Amino acid sequence: MERRVCLKSVTPGKEQNSHLLYQKEGFIARIILNRPEKYNAFSLPMIRKWSEALQDAQEDPSIRVIVLTANGKAFSAGGDIDAMIEGKGFIGGDDHSETWGDKAIDRKRSLTNHIHKIALTLEAMDKPVICGINGMAIGAGLDMALMCDIRVAADDAQLSAGYVNAGIVPGDGGAFYLPRLVGVAKALEILWTGDFISASVAEKIGMVNKVVPALELEQATLEMAKKIADSPPVCVQMIKRAVYSAQRTNDLRTALDLISSQMAIVSEMSDHKEGINALKEKRKPIFTGQ
């Protein structure tokens, strides 16, 4: 029997006051930023749970796709301005030494120990990660969206690197991800000016994959996730690894060696047999990951 993915909106529960919500529905794991009163600016509890959720989704064999969205009017304002003004760093917290510190090395470690864990977890993750961007995505909030594999944006979304306006540098991966999406010259323009970019322009330059009406954002993001989740999961993961590996090498032979090994593996799997039989029988295939 076909295993259907049931997708439903986030509903309040025992975690309704949490800065980040984490849900699993069928093959899809949802991470929802939930600090709307602060435009989903980062907090220490949010970042900790974010990292834990990604690790759980990666390790859960039933999860095929991860979706990142946000509650409220904005995707994320990035660093917490109030925490910065109070001298508590980008993500605040009760322990000043843990989230910021008085010395430069302490501040470097605060990034390494918290926000950078998310980037490094995503780099190691073979499962697809899709981001739905509503409203503003600024600074580190934009960086978190850029770390995902695919971005769907609401038509009223506004994107800005923003770091330069606060007198800081893109400390969460923006200088790594942005040039790979839009090219070096355009990335420098975006990073140096801190200007806001509309969703339509972001789509034209490759920052986002798709723009949809704001009221349809959640549905469109989840529909894309469901379509990928219904695909053979091992193939999806291998394709992701092959594409990213190819970006890090200029050696065709190495790339072909990897993909030929992947082809040898998947061609032995039941999902391959199911796929070709479904094509012949003109029906929808049911992939099990076997």
Side-chain angles (χ1 to χ4, degrees), residues 54 57-58 63-67 118-131 144-151 177 228 231-248 255 258-259 262 266:
L54 287 172
Q58 170 68 4
I63 296 301
R64 298 184 181 181
V65 180
I66 297 91
V67 171
I118 295 174
L120 293 172
T121 300
L122 285 170
E123 184 183 38
M125 182 175 286
D126 289 324
K127 298 177 182 181
V129 184
I130 303 174
C131 177
M144 292 300 200
L146 298 180
M147 292 176 194
C148 299
D149 301 307
I150 294 176
R151 284 156 295 284
Y177 294 102
I228 297 173
S231 300
V234 175
C235 288
V236 169
Q237 292 174 32
M238 284 186 172
I239 289 169
K240 175 174 177 175
R241 187 53 52 205
V243 168
Y244 283 124
S245 295
Q247 304 310 302
R248 298 183 175 92
L258 171 61
I259 204 71
Q262 292 177 331
V266 297

Side-chain angles (χ1 to χ4, degrees), residues 60-283:
D60 187 339
S62 72
I63 296 301
R64 298 184 181 181
V65 180
I66 297 91
V67 171
L68 172 64
T69 56
N71 286 333
K73 297 180 179 180
F75 175 72
S76 176
D80 190 325
I81 295 295
D82 291 335
M84 294 184 214
I85 292 173
E86 294 171 7
K88 295 182 178 180
F90 304 123
I91 57 176
D94 296 329
D95 188 343
H96 169 73
S97 63
E98 182 179 3
T99 58
W100 194 234
D102 297 319
K103 298 179 180 179
I105 189 62
D106 296 327
R107 299 177 182 191
K108 176 179 172 63
R109 286 171 180 158
S110 74
L111 289 171
T112 302
N113 293 338
H114 300 296
I115 297 177
H116 288 182
K117 281 186 177 180
I118 295 174
L120 293 172
T121 300
L122 285 170
E123 184 183 38
M125 182 175 286
D126 289 324
K127 298 177 182 181
V129 184
I130 303 174
C131 177
I133 305 173
N134 59 304
M136 296 183 298
I138 304 173
L142 175 60
D143 287 354
M144 292 300 200
L146 298 180
M147 292 176 194
C148 299
D149 301 307
I150 294 176
R151 284 156 295 284
V152 181
D155 56 6
D156 60 356
Q158 293 285 321
L159 286 60
S160 171
Y163 291 100
V164 71
N165 296 327
I168 51 179
V169 296
D172 307 306
F176 179 88
Y177 294 102
L178 193 55
R180 285 165 168 77
L181 293 172
V182 304
V184 171
K186 194 65 180 178
L188 287 172
E189 176 191 341
I190 293 168
L191 292 167
W192 280 338
T193 65
D195 290 343
F196 278 94
I197 299 169
S198 68
S200 60
V201 171
E203 183 180 28
K204 289 178 182 177
I205 64 177
M207 286 180 72
V208 303
N209 298 72
K210 184 178 182 180
V211 176
V212 299
L215 293 178
E216 299 175 14
L217 177 64
E218 181 178 20
Q219 178 183 354
T221 304
L222 291 173
E223 283 179 352
M224 183 178 291
K226 183 182 183 301
K227 184 172 184 178
I228 297 173
D230 284 343
S231 300
V234 175
C235 288
V236 169
Q237 292 174 32
M238 284 186 172
I239 289 169
K240 175 174 177 175
R241 187 53 52 205
V243 168
Y244 283 124
S245 295
Q247 304 310 302
R248 298 183 175 92
T249 178
N250 293 320
D251 179 19
L252 176 61
R253 187 173 296 276
T254 298
L256 292 177
D257 183 58
L258 171 61
I259 204 71
S260 62
S261 298
Q262 292 177 331
M263 180 67 86
I265 293 170
V266 297
S267 63
E268 272 194 339
M269 298 184 68
S270 298
D271 276 351
H272 169 56
K273 298 179 179 64
E274 167 64 7
I276 57 177
N277 286 334
L279 286 171
K280 182 177 181 180
E281 297 164 11
K282 296 181 173 56
R283 61 173 175 82

